[in-house]
Amino acid sequence: AAGVIQSPRHLIKEKRETATLKCYPIPRHDTVYWYQQGPGQDPQFLISFYEKMQSDKGSIPDRFSAQQFSDYHSELNMSSLELGDSALYFCASSLEGLAGEQETQYFGPGTRLLVL
Amino acid sequence: AQTVTQSQPEMSVQEAETVTLSCTYDTSENNYYLFWYKQPPSRQMILVIRQEAYKQQNATENRFSVNFQKAAKSFSLKISDSQLGDTAMYFCAFMGSIIQGAQKLVFGQGTRLTINP
């Protein structure tokens, strides 16, 4: 079965540089979520999109922005990178269920970002 | 805001033993969803099991089962006949119920489980 695809898998950047992470959800999934997992920490929610509209926002810095495109893929843009942005960034996707049923989120393999 | 607490930072058992991981949560919602995710050394987040709060029957997936106590806001994971491949970090996660759109996952701190040969 097709899974969530994230690219790149690894990324090394210098401080103050810009990074773009991409996420391709499972086919037919209409909802995308971004999470950040620091070393030794649990994943923290950043932002989500449902049907190409921002749905919810968590602890996402103003330096970060994201969008979901017409083909449902999503990109997380990170500017003015700081050392503390070094983390594993997950994208997850789900399909909005019928009658308000919340569908399970399936995670991609993550993008490991290292800021030097 | 919802919170999820995993009080066991680390656990270790012998292969073939049964192990139970604890999770408690706090919410004022009546309808919600609970999950256990597994994160092996590869750091991939893998769904283990899901429980809908409106269902009284505990979810089961092969060797994995949960003990869902709604009144106590407790959601423990039992792994039977543990295998070396079960070695991983296990995260308990809460998801609320909304009318439409996306609903984020709130994770616990994780329990690092080691299965010894």
Side-chain angles (χ1 to χ4, degrees), chain A residues 94-95 97 100-106, chain B residues 32-37 47-55 57-61 64-66 68 75 77 93 95 105:
Chain A
S94 69
L95 176 65
E101 176 76 10
Q102 297 297 307
E103 294 296 329
T104 299
Q105 294 180 29
Y106 293 94
Chain B
Y32 49 86
Y33 303 80
L34 295 163
F35 304 85
W36 280 97
Y37 282 89
L47 175 71
V48 175
I49 201 163
R50 160 189 167 121
Q51 174 79 44
E52 293 85 350
Y54 62 83
K55 291 185 178 179
Q57 186 172 6
N58 289 324
T60 299
E61 287 288 342
F64 299 87
S65 61
V66 299
F68 173 49
F75 183 61
L77 174 70
M95 182 170 73
L105 288 168

Side-chain angles (χ1 to χ4, degrees), chain A residues 31-33 35 37-45 48-50 55-57 88 90 96 100-109 112, chain B residues 33 35 37 39 41-47 50 52 54 89 91 95-110 112:
Chain A
T31 308
V32 168
Y33 311 78
Y35 294 86
Q37 185 179 29
Q41 298 180 0
D42 56 285
Q44 296 291 315
F45 171 72
S48 60
F49 294 88
Y50 167 66
S55 178
D56 194 8
K57 201 170 182 180
L88 183 59
F90 284 109
E96 174 67 11
E101 176 76 10
Q102 297 297 307
E103 294 296 329
T104 299
Q105 294 180 29
Y106 293 94
F107 283 73
R112 298 192 189 201
Chain B
Y33 303 80
F35 304 85
Y37 282 89
Q39 189 174 42
S42 67
R43 302 199 71 188
Q44 170 82 46
M45 290 290 285
I46 302 167
L47 175 71
R50 160 189 167 121
E52 293 85 350
Y54 62 83
M89 180 73 86
F91 289 100
M95 182 170 73
S97 179
I98 58 174
I99 302 299
Q100 190 175 38
Q103 185 63 285
K104 67 186 179 192
L105 288 168
V106 177
F107 289 89
Q109 308 90 324
R112 185 174 301 281

Side-chain angles (χ1 to χ4, degrees), chain B:
Chain B
Q2 292 88 2
T3 58
V4 179
T5 302
Q6 293 178 249
S7 58
Q8 305 152 312
E10 294 187 22
M11 295 188 73
S12 178
V13 298
Q14 295 298 121
E15 193 177 5
E17 289 184 345
T18 294
V19 59
T20 299
L21 309 183
S22 301
C23 173
T24 58
Y25 57 94
D26 187 28
T27 183
S28 58
E29 296 185 39
N30 189 47
N31 294 321
Y32 49 86
Y33 303 80
L34 295 163
F35 304 85
W36 280 97
Y37 282 89
K38 165 185 175 180
Q39 189 174 42
S42 67
R43 302 199 71 188
Q44 170 82 46
M45 290 290 285
I46 302 167
L47 175 71
V48 175
I49 201 163
R50 160 189 167 121
Q51 174 79 44
E52 293 85 350
Y54 62 83
K55 291 185 178 179
Q56 294 186 345
Q57 186 172 6
N58 289 324
T60 299
E61 287 288 342
N62 301 313
R63 296 182 296 107
F64 299 87
S65 61
V66 299
N67 183 4
F68 173 49
Q69 301 291 325
K70 191 173 183 179
K73 295 181 181 175
S74 171
F75 183 61
S76 61
L77 174 70
K78 185 171 82 171
I79 306 175
S80 303
D81 186 26
S82 58
Q83 301 174 359
L84 297 179
D86 295 333
T87 292
M89 180 73 86
Y90 285 80
F91 289 100
C92 178
F94 173 98
M95 182 170 73
S97 179
I98 58 174
I99 302 299
Q100 190 175 38
Q103 185 63 285
K104 67 186 179 192
L105 288 168
V106 177
F107 289 89
Q109 308 90 324
T111 296
R112 185 174 301 281
L113 175 65
T114 302
I115 309 299
N116 299 305

